[in-house]
Amino acid sequence: MNQKTIGIEQFTEEESRIIKNKYVQIIRASAIEDPLRRKKIRKAFDFALNAHQGMRRKSGEPYILHPMEVALIATKDIGLKTTSIICALLHDVVEDTEYTIKDIEGLFGKKVAKIVDGLTKISGIFSQSDSLQAENFRKILLTLADDVRVILIKLADRLHNMRTLESMSHEKQMKISSETSILYAPLAHRLGLFTIKSEMEDLVLKYKNPDAYRIINEKLEYTQFDRNVFITKFIQPIKRKLSAEDLHYKILYRNKSISSIWQKMQNKKVDFEQVYDLFAVRIILESELKDEKLVCWKTYSAITDIYIPKHDRFRDWISVPKANGYEALHTTVMSKSGKWVEVQIRSTRMDEIAEKGYAAHWKYKGKTKTDGGLDEWLSKIRELLQNPDSDALDFLDDFKLNLFSDEIYVFTPKGEIKTMPTHSTVIDFAFTIHSHIGQKAIGAKINNQLVPLNHQLNSGDQVEILTSSKQIPKEEWMGWATTARAKSKIKNALKAERKTLITKGKETFLELCKKNNLDCNESLLKELNKFAGIQDESELFVRVAKNTFTADDLMEFMKFHRDQNRWIKYLNPFSRKPKVEDKTLSNEIRTQLSKKPDGLLLSKKYDHAQVNIAQCCKPIPGDDVIGFIEKDSVITIHRTICATASDLMSKYGNNIIKAKWREKGDLQFLTGIRIYGNDKFGLIKEIINILTGEMGINIRSFSIQTNQDLFDGQATLYVSDINQLNHIINKLYQVQGIDKIYRID
Ligand code: MN
């Protein structure tokens, strides 16, 4: 290889200084002392520096800073060492420069080459313009089967791309944020990478809902001092007690992340003031491996001597760790000032796993009894991925299902413990034990009571699956199963079952034809399918096999067939269907906007496209919006914070287009508000007066419910934009008795 080395002198003085500092940071964070390993990292750095020479990122920064940041995240936040640091430094070399995997292998060996190859393939997948994101993600996960480090480095790469999203176009920002919120953050969560997951979620919020992000951030800064005072008072007696017990510990606390505050505010419909001071105190104990459980319980005992615990909020994740490897004791106690505080108790080892996840878990592997969770999960994922029949989008949905759910613990008759997602049913459990047991299951005995297959399991249940050799998998099981594993097994079993039915039904059908002197040709089958309203050709045979299409039906068909000129058009199930007028709110909005709304600005290219307003989030002028190209080139306008839109964007990221509201539109948009308050005489009249009298708002509907003193009202209004809506809300807040107003999404 002809390699001309150009070093750091290609940069300005300031840039050189930044690069040198970054390098020192990486080495320090890695805590690698061995000179040989340090030399290897240096070699990778020099190589990457040279390979990316002259290249800059969109922001104008030297390109080399990107792989360096990825290496820093990989070692600092994930705890990865030499090989991974090298791979992180080299991760974009093959994709962006003329060097090949062969060159990497020659210089850095097989292992590094393989990981870099995996990372390159992932980027290759993502740059193809019209392939499905879901299929891509599946391919990414496939690399899990080779080396988890590929995914871990990819997560570091994604985090740095999120940090530097500022310089990208708005569409790119939305696409990358959506992928991150739907795919990468849950994956980080599942791999136990708490730090990375929260930063990703915060950054997603920053781009998807900049106002909420800014406001919460400002309020957090503003209230920091009060929180510090509170926490100092809270931990003082704990410190005294733990020191007296001769325990070695660290007490840490951190604010809730901006995104989790936002989520709480949304889910519970509460204000910042009601959630901002919920924070968790962490007590981290130094101890020998063999004593760690003991010291954690000792600490629990000490704390509950001082503060009263909330009895239903105690969690023991030490005896049975979470599936992502998390271990700790959690308790929520009442502080002296009357506020509940969550306290998490764990050892240094447990803390490292809680923060850094998989890599840290790996480091301690084999040294503790409990190393089931993560590895078991990874092997399940591999199994799912290796199933050639599973469809990519289905897979993605199932996968997400498995990523987000919490867990319960269920026992086998022999007392073996199995971790299952919450809401798992008997059928899920049966397939967890063995697919043969799943297929033959007819019910279960839980704690000695008989229960059906769709019975939902609870933590602590001891479950004995009852089977029958005559049982075959049923269609309705798909609706009962919740785990990806059970669903994919049932799907496969049903497919196989259907094949058998088709063969059997075909035989019977041919016999039937023979008996009735019918020639079983294509045109007969076509007419028959039409007659029975069947679209899928093989369905007829299935019905025959299941006895839902019998000899009688055939006779009836023949009778009609004779008179078909007169009758058949009335029998065709596809001929006419009455048009149902849908009078829903969103439909009205859609009709109103179906002729490209004046208020909306799209690129010239879409001048003649049909534009719809999304029913899920009902954007109005002033909202941050994006356009999404549906099938048949219909464009739907969603709010950027819409969950449905996020999901769509992560799957079909290339269909996003920029959309903006014009400053002033003459159109009126339907929107809804909900008003809570104390019911007092004249309240409704006052609200109506403000809306119609003072503000001249056109009210479409207004409904109220009262319950003793509580008032719960709902109004749909025509407004011109978000400013007018906010104005309305502010005005209504001035009415005495009104507590809470929020927009209905
Ligand atoms: Mn990269």
Side-chain angles (χ1 to χ4, degrees), residues 57 63 66 70 91-92 157 161:
R57 300 197 92 205
Y63 195 89
H66 167 63
V70 175
H91 83 269
D92 278 336
D157 185 29
N161 286 336

Side-chain angles (χ1 to χ4, degrees), residues 159-422:
L159 178 58
H160 187 245
N161 286 336
M162 282 299 293
R163 282 183 189 165
T164 50
L165 212 51
E166 200 76 59
S167 40
M168 303 297 249
S169 69
H170 185 67
E171 298 92 298
K172 270 263 165 63
Q173 288 177 350
M174 289 304 120
K175 173 176 187 266
I176 292 175
S177 302
S178 295
E179 281 167 11
T180 305
S181 77
I182 300 272
L183 309 174
Y184 289 97
L187 188 57
H189 168 73
R190 204 56 181 73
L191 287 166
L193 301 162
F194 179 82
T195 324
I196 289 185
K197 174 215 156 207
S198 349
E199 191 179 340
M200 278 182 173
E201 285 181 340
D202 276 5
L203 288 165
V204 167
L205 184 67
K206 182 175 165 188
Y207 287 100
K208 290 225 153 179
N209 198 342
D211 288 342
Y213 180 87
R214 186 180 43 79
I215 290 167
I216 295 173
N217 200 19
E218 277 168 10
K219 286 192 173 180
L220 269 178
E221 273 169 29
Y222 184 71
T223 48
Q224 188 64 48
F225 181 77
D226 289 346
R227 278 196 305 278
N228 287 345
V229 171
F230 171 78
I231 210 71
T232 314
K233 276 193 195 147
F234 178 79
I235 59 181
Q236 217 168 38
I238 301 180
K239 275 183 163 170
R240 225 176 289 135
K241 187 121 186 169
L242 294 183
S243 300
E245 299 257 8
D246 220 17
L247 290 163
H248 298 273
Y249 62 90
K250 230 175 7 189
I251 299 185
L252 302 175
Y253 74 95
R254 73 177 140 221
N255 299 334
K256 256 187 185 320
S257 71
I258 295 177
S259 58
S260 65
I261 291 176
W262 171 244
Q263 268 164 27
K264 262 231 161 73
M265 286 166 64
Q266 292 303 102
N267 294 341
K268 304 206 165 151
K269 303 281 179 209
V270 292
D271 296 328
F272 174 83
E273 281 66 30
Q274 285 162 274
V275 285
Y276 81 103
D277 57 351
L278 293 176
F279 43 86
V281 173
R282 265 183 301 157
I283 303 183
I284 299 154
L285 294 135
E286 250 172 66
S287 112
E288 297 277 318
L289 208 55
K290 63 176 172 43
D291 300 326
E292 52 181 17
K293 199 168 170 179
L294 184 73
V295 295
C296 286
W297 281 103
K298 237 179 167 173
T299 307
Y300 172 77
S301 156
I303 289 165
T304 48
D305 277 349
I306 306 166
Y307 300 113
I308 308 288
K310 201 174 185 177
H311 75 277
D312 58 338
R313 290 297 303 271
F314 174 72
R315 296 284 180 278
D316 174 7
W317 302 117
I318 294 182
S319 306
V320 187
K322 285 193 190 181
N324 66 5
Y326 183 82
E327 290 171 71
L329 294 180
H330 285 194
T331 178
T332 299
V333 298
M334 177 56 79
S335 66
K336 302 278 190 253
S337 53
K339 243 180 234 164
W340 292 107
V341 180
E342 181 177 297
V343 183
Q344 305 170 348
I345 305 164
R346 53 208 198 205
S347 70
T348 355
R349 177 190 65 84
M350 296 172 194
D351 189 57
E352 207 182 330
I353 292 175
E355 296 293 304
K356 293 180 179 172
Y358 192 79
H361 155 86
W362 194 254
K363 178 171 138 194
Y364 292 104
K365 210 185 154 187
K367 289 182 191 161
T368 58
K369 283 179 294 175
T370 51
D371 51 27
L374 263 178
D375 295 311
E376 217 172 87
W377 178 73
L378 279 172
S379 73
K380 270 188 211 153
I381 290 293
R382 280 178 195 139
E383 202 182 310
L384 263 182
L385 288 162
Q386 278 148 14
N387 180 354
D389 288 343
S390 70
D391 164 69
L393 279 176
D394 277 359
F395 168 78
L396 186 64
D397 287 336
D398 288 349
F399 182 77
K400 274 188 311 204
L401 205 74
N402 274 13
L403 281 178
F404 285 118
S405 46
D406 272 335
E407 293 135 11
I408 53 170
Y409 305 98
V410 184
F411 296 92
T412 66
K414 284 182 184 151
E416 204 185 317
I417 195 163
K418 298 269 175 197
T419 313
M420 313 267 312
T422 330

